Amino acid sequence: MPFTLSAYETDAGGSPASLSNNTVLPWNIDDQCQRFWTKYNNFMLTTDGNLHIFTEVGEWIIPIMEYCVEYFAFDGPLEASDLMAYVCPNAKPPAFSFVFWVIFTTSIVCLALTLIVYTTLPYLRNAHGYYVMFYMTCQLMYFVCEMITKMVKHDLDSPLCIPFGYFSLFTTLTTCCWLNVICFDIYWTLRYNNSTNRNTSKSVRTIMYHIYSWGFSSIIVSTGYLFQHSQNKTLRELAPDIGKYKCNFYIYNHYGHFIFYLLPSCSTLTANLILFLLTAIHCSGVKSELNKFKRTDSKTEMFLFYKER
């Protein structure tokens, strides 16, 4: 589909400065790379042939022959499509800002210190603290994986790329699962605290929590891996595409992103919200019952006082 796009003049630093009188025309050639990493709609083309993409970490300058610009229509007529810029995987991504590294390093240090506190203080080494430590450990591993994938700059040829991509998805899901376990355990403890077989119930629940957290995440990640390496074309279209365009799952693959990330994570978060509401309702009911007992006790004390007089 033909398009007309104006190019920008560049300043001394190479950044787009102002519109030029030059017009970008379509150029149909063979693909410059076997695959494309991702696509963007917030971009500019300059007269020197470079592509300038503006991301959350700053400006990304991509030289000619490492990108292509064309219309993209995921679902609908071509006339309603958007002009997108596609970037090759071999394009060097921009360096992440100092703020990014400060935030990630601070998060890792704080999580590590919190884990040390939980493992050191005796009164925190209970069942609930045990679940919290697993939750923080999974979250710590997620931050470490993200930092490693950022350090290799999503280089698909790196031996760390694909393994840490799958492990990052695994830690994300286990973090959601252990948070789900914490919410459920709080509700269960408050709701059924007077169980006669409390210790046995707690040990059985702990085993079930482990099976749920590790098993659910392992099934999701293993299914995504099998889908991605399946001979069936339909299953490959539903795969998360980890290591295909970047180290993590490809967010523009709507099916894989929804099935293997959004659906399980949003399901656990919705369950957490429901458990929170049930816990709040139960606590409110207990509080109202306690207020009734207080009023009854005060009336009884007044009755005994006047009776003694």
Side-chain angles (χ1 to χ4, degrees):
M1 182 177 177
F3 63 87
T4 301
L5 184 66
S6 298
Y8 284 76
E9 296 283 356
T10 56
D11 55 17
S15 299
S18 60
L19 278 173
S20 68
N21 295 325
N22 299 325
T23 301
V24 180
L25 298 177
W27 185 28
N28 297 321
I29 59 173
D30 296 334
D31 292 340
Q32 303 303 316
C33 49
Q34 297 295 325
R35 52 197 173 183
F36 289 104
W37 186 24
T38 186
K39 58 181 182 291
Y40 299 88
N41 56 6
N42 186 17
F43 66 90
M44 290 182 181
L45 291 175
T46 53
T47 53
D48 55 4
N50 291 336
L51 175 71
H52 295 252
I53 297 177
F54 303 95
T55 65
E56 63 275 4
V57 297
E59 185 180 358
W60 185 9
I61 303 176
I62 304 168
I64 194 170
M65 310 301 286
E66 292 187 4
Y67 69 89
C68 104
V69 177
E70 64 179 4
Y71 281 95
F72 173 79
F74 180 76
D75 186 14
L78 190 60
E79 291 75 13
S81 58
D82 296 324
L83 190 62
M84 309 292 291
Y86 294 80
V87 181
C88 299
N90 58 348
K92 185 178 179 181
F96 285 87
S97 62
F98 177 74
V99 176
F100 169 84
W101 294 111
V102 169
I103 292 174
F104 265 63
T105 305
T106 304
S107 301
I108 291 174
V109 171
C110 291
L111 285 171
L113 291 176
T114 308
L115 278 172
I116 293 173
V117 171
Y118 266 84
T119 55
T120 303
L121 298 181
Y123 66 90
L124 291 177
R125 292 201 299 264
N126 50 28
H128 191 71
Y130 182 71
Y131 308 144
V132 173
M133 282 192 288
F134 271 103
Y135 165 73
M136 289 188 297
T137 302
C138 294
Q139 198 169 34
L140 176 62
M141 291 298 100
Y142 167 76
F143 280 108
V144 172
C145 288
E146 283 296 307
M147 286 196 69
I148 291 175
T149 54
K150 296 297 188 296
M151 288 173 64
V152 301
K153 296 183 178 180
H154 292 280
D155 183 9
L156 301 181
D157 296 326
S158 173
L160 301 177
C161 181
I162 297 178
F164 276 93
Y166 279 102
F167 192 64
S168 178
L169 177 60
F170 178 78
T171 54
T172 302
L173 296 177
T174 50
T175 300
C176 294
C177 289
W178 279 110
L179 183 60
N180 197 203
V181 164
I182 293 172
C183 294
F184 177 80
D185 189 70
I186 292 174
Y187 169 74
W188 185 273
T189 302
L190 294 176
R191 184 68 177 82
Y192 303 103
N193 192 36
N194 295 324
S195 175
T196 56
N197 201 8
R198 188 182 305 171
N199 292 330
T200 304
S201 175
K202 185 181 296 184
S203 61
V204 172
R205 289 205 317 272
T206 301
I207 295 174
M208 297 301 295
Y209 292 159
H210 280 284
I211 294 175
Y212 163 69
S213 298
W214 306 118
F216 177 77
S217 304
S218 299
I219 290 173
I220 295 295
V221 175
S222 301
T223 304
Y225 180 84
L226 294 175
F227 275 28
Q228 191 161 331
H229 296 83
S230 174
Q231 300 297 325
N232 190 301
K233 182 180 178 181
T234 303
L235 295 181
R236 289 199 305 271
E237 291 177 351
L238 302 177
D241 289 340
I242 293 177
K244 187 176 180 181
Y245 301 98
K246 56 189 300 187
C247 295
N248 295 334
F249 51 83
Y250 189 52
I251 62 174
Y252 292 101
N253 181 351
H254 297 265
Y255 299 114
H257 184 223
F258 175 78
I259 295 172
F260 295 99
Y261 178 73
L262 290 180
L263 184 61
S265 58
C266 291
S267 298
T268 55
L269 292 176
T270 303
N272 293 343
L273 179 60
I274 295 174
L275 290 170
F276 172 78
L277 293 175
L278 292 176
T279 304
I281 293 172
H282 176 71
C283 292
S284 178
V286 172
K287 184 178 180 181
S288 62
E289 291 293 330
L290 291 175
N291 291 332
K292 289 181 182 180
F293 280 118
K294 288 182 180 179
R295 287 195 296 267
T296 304
D297 291 342
S298 61
K299 290 181 181 179
T300 304
E301 290 176 357
M302 290 294 295
F303 174 75
L304 293 176
F305 173 76
Y306 283 112
K307 185 177 181 181
E308 289 177 358
R309 292 182 60 184

